[in-house]
Amino acid sequence: MANPTLKGHKLLVLNPFPTPASSFDPLKETFPDLAIQHVAVDFHEGDAHAKVSDEEWSNVTILMTGSALPKIEKAPKLQVVQLQSAGSNHVHEKPLYKETDVTFCTANGVHGPQIAEWVIATFLAHQHHIPAYLETQKQARWARQAEMPDDAVGKRIGILGYGAIGRQTARVAQAMGMDVHAYTLHPKDTPEARRDATYVPEGLGDPEGLLPRKWFSGTTKEDLHAFLGSDLDLLVIAVPLTPVTRHLIGEEEFAILGKKRTFVSNIARGPVIKTDDLVEALNSGTIRGAALDVTDPEPLTDGHPLWSAKNVIITPHISGMSSKLAERVLGVLRQNLTNLSQGADLVNRVNRKEGY
């Protein structure tokens, strides 16, 4: 049943972002009867009760959070959890996720712009030898690289997992003159299937699924290998971490990528790749290079062989960060509050069977 003002609902926001009280004014104007409480909690903080009393939890119906989830008995009215992350794997073992029918939604769509820029920036940095030139700059030497730089026009990008991040990456890549191949778990053989059903900031991404020149899909190694073997210059890994995707890319897959010496970019989760196989592929020159914002283990330990592997750019899981992130997260929250008030389906709802 529709509830346009969300009367009787209480929203609790646990987030690490600097969030002035005025940030919630648009929500208050749209939903004047919605009670809102904001508490600053670090994204990785697991204790949802340290700063929120039992009495306050007892009336919460909607929660926006990073990792902190309440004990089931402390939040008897909780209906919806809006995560601040694109993935949900970090809460899959929590009782609230495993043992209740509380609806979980991700913030899929809010990270696309900044992560797409990170993917393209690190790829172009490699193509134009920027890491090497930064080193010669430190040495105050004017020295050109022997190998000519290679621009992106006519290159092919393969996007493994064509969700919000993949679609925005495709948008930027095509603008540079790249050809786009996409891989999804389920077939996208109709215009309706190719349409993006998740949250999409206006003017971004590929809402209608028009950018890939070729689509691949399936659940078998043969399906995946057909995609990896489609003459890719850049492979972008953008799949959620699930039992199906864990260690999806290993020695066999790197051998296929080696035919074109593909550059590999991972902005998904570290365990999607077998790390030892990645190190070997880099050091042997099987692949041209890699850009990694996620690793396995994470944080990457001191002295780990990946640090010193050839032609690798590593950043500490920061590609999704942006000064606009808090604003965008509140955007997806507002969309879901609107849908809730209208009795409509929530966007970015986690499918517990598939894990994302």
Side-chain angles (χ1 to χ4, degrees), residues 187-258:
K188 304 292 182 181
D189 47 11
T190 67
E192 183 178 356
R194 292 174 183 170
R195 192 170 294 121
D196 189 2
T198 61
Y199 176 77
V200 182
E202 186 176 356
L204 300 180
D206 180 20
E208 300 301 318
L210 301 177
L211 297 181
R213 189 178 60 80
K214 190 169 183 179
W215 290 78
F216 296 79
S217 64
T219 59
T220 68
K221 268 188 175 290
E222 290 75 18
D223 295 325
L224 175 63
H225 291 177
F227 166 70
L228 297 178
S230 65
D231 212 26
L232 306 179
D233 297 284
L234 168 61
L235 170 67
V236 179
I237 300 173
V239 292
L241 180 62
T242 69
V244 173
T245 63
R246 183 176 291 273
H247 293 165
L248 189 66
I249 306 296
E251 180 181 9
E252 214 177 336
E253 290 68 38
F254 285 123
I256 295 170
L257 295 171

Side-chain angles (χ1 to χ4, degrees), residues 15-273:
N15 75 8
F17 311 120
T19 311
S22 59
S23 299
F24 299 103
D25 287 349
L27 296 183
K28 293 176 181 178
E29 291 172 7
T30 306
F31 310 108
D33 294 327
L34 174 65
I36 301 175
Q37 179 183 3
H38 172 241
V39 179
V41 173
D42 184 80
F43 182 91
H44 297 289
E45 173 60 55
D47 187 355
H49 301 280
K51 299 180 181 179
V52 181
S53 70
D54 289 355
E55 182 179 357
E56 290 169 324
W57 272 116
S58 67
N59 291 314
V60 173
T61 59
I62 307 158
L63 169 66
M64 186 171 87
T65 184
S67 301
L69 296 177
K71 296 176 181 177
I72 296 172
E73 67 275 12
K74 300 291 186 180
K77 297 182 181 179
L78 186 60
Q79 299 175 24
V80 177
V81 173
Q82 173 65 65
L83 298 172
Q84 297 160 10
S85 55
S88 61
N89 60 286
H90 60 294
V91 301
H92 287 180
E93 296 305 313
K94 301 288 185 71
L96 189 71
Y97 182 90
K98 293 175 66 176
E99 300 171 18
T100 76
D101 58 0
V102 170
T103 297
F104 279 74
C105 299
T106 71
N108 194 24
V110 308
H111 306 90
Q114 58 269 37
I115 293 183
E117 290 180 9
W118 184 97
V119 168
I120 299 303
T122 51
F123 176 62
L124 293 181
H126 177 84
Q127 294 290 91
H128 290 269
H129 312 305
I130 301 302
Y133 285 124
L134 290 175
E135 286 302 313
T136 56
Q137 178 185 343
K138 290 177 185 177
Q139 300 163 15
R141 289 194 305 114
W142 186 276
R144 290 182 175 177
Q145 293 292 304
E147 184 181 1
M148 288 289 284
D150 207 358
D151 61 52
V153 176
K155 295 289 188 291
R156 178 171 295 154
I157 180 173
I159 302 175
L160 181 59
Y162 202 62
I165 293 168
R167 288 171 186 251
Q168 177 64 11
T169 302
R171 184 186 185 96
V172 178
Q174 191 186 64
M176 297 195 306
M178 298 185 78
D179 183 38
V180 179
H181 282 187
Y183 185 97
T184 53
L185 180 64
H186 303 294
K188 304 292 182 181
D189 47 11
T190 67
E192 183 178 356
R194 292 174 183 170
R195 192 170 294 121
D196 189 2
T198 61
Y199 176 77
V200 182
E202 186 176 356
L204 300 180
D206 180 20
E208 300 301 318
L210 301 177
L211 297 181
R213 189 178 60 80
K214 190 169 183 179
W215 290 78
F216 296 79
S217 64
T219 59
T220 68
K221 268 188 175 290
E222 290 75 18
D223 295 325
L224 175 63
H225 291 177
F227 166 70
L228 297 178
S230 65
D231 212 26
L232 306 179
D233 297 284
L234 168 61
L235 170 67
V236 179
I237 300 173
V239 292
L241 180 62
T242 69
V244 173
T245 63
R246 183 176 291 273
H247 293 165
L248 189 66
I249 306 296
E251 180 181 9
E252 214 177 336
E253 290 68 38
F254 285 123
I256 295 170
L257 295 171
K259 296 175 182 177
K260 189 67 183 287
R261 294 196 68 229
T262 304
F263 187 88
V264 176
S265 182
N266 188 9
I267 49 79
R269 292 292 185 268
V272 174
I273 295 178

Side-chain angles (χ1 to χ4, degrees), residues 292-294 298 307 314-319 321:
L292 310 171
D293 188 49
V294 290
E298 188 175 312
W307 285 119
I314 301 173
T315 57
H317 207 148
I318 49 76
S319 65
M321 294 183 180

Side-chain angles (χ1 to χ4, degrees), residues 315-334:
T315 57
H317 207 148
I318 49 76
S319 65
M321 294 183 180
S322 167
S323 60
K324 300 289 183 65
L325 183 57
E327 176 185 325
R328 292 185 184 129
V329 169
L330 287 176
V332 71
L333 173 65
R334 184 174 184 176

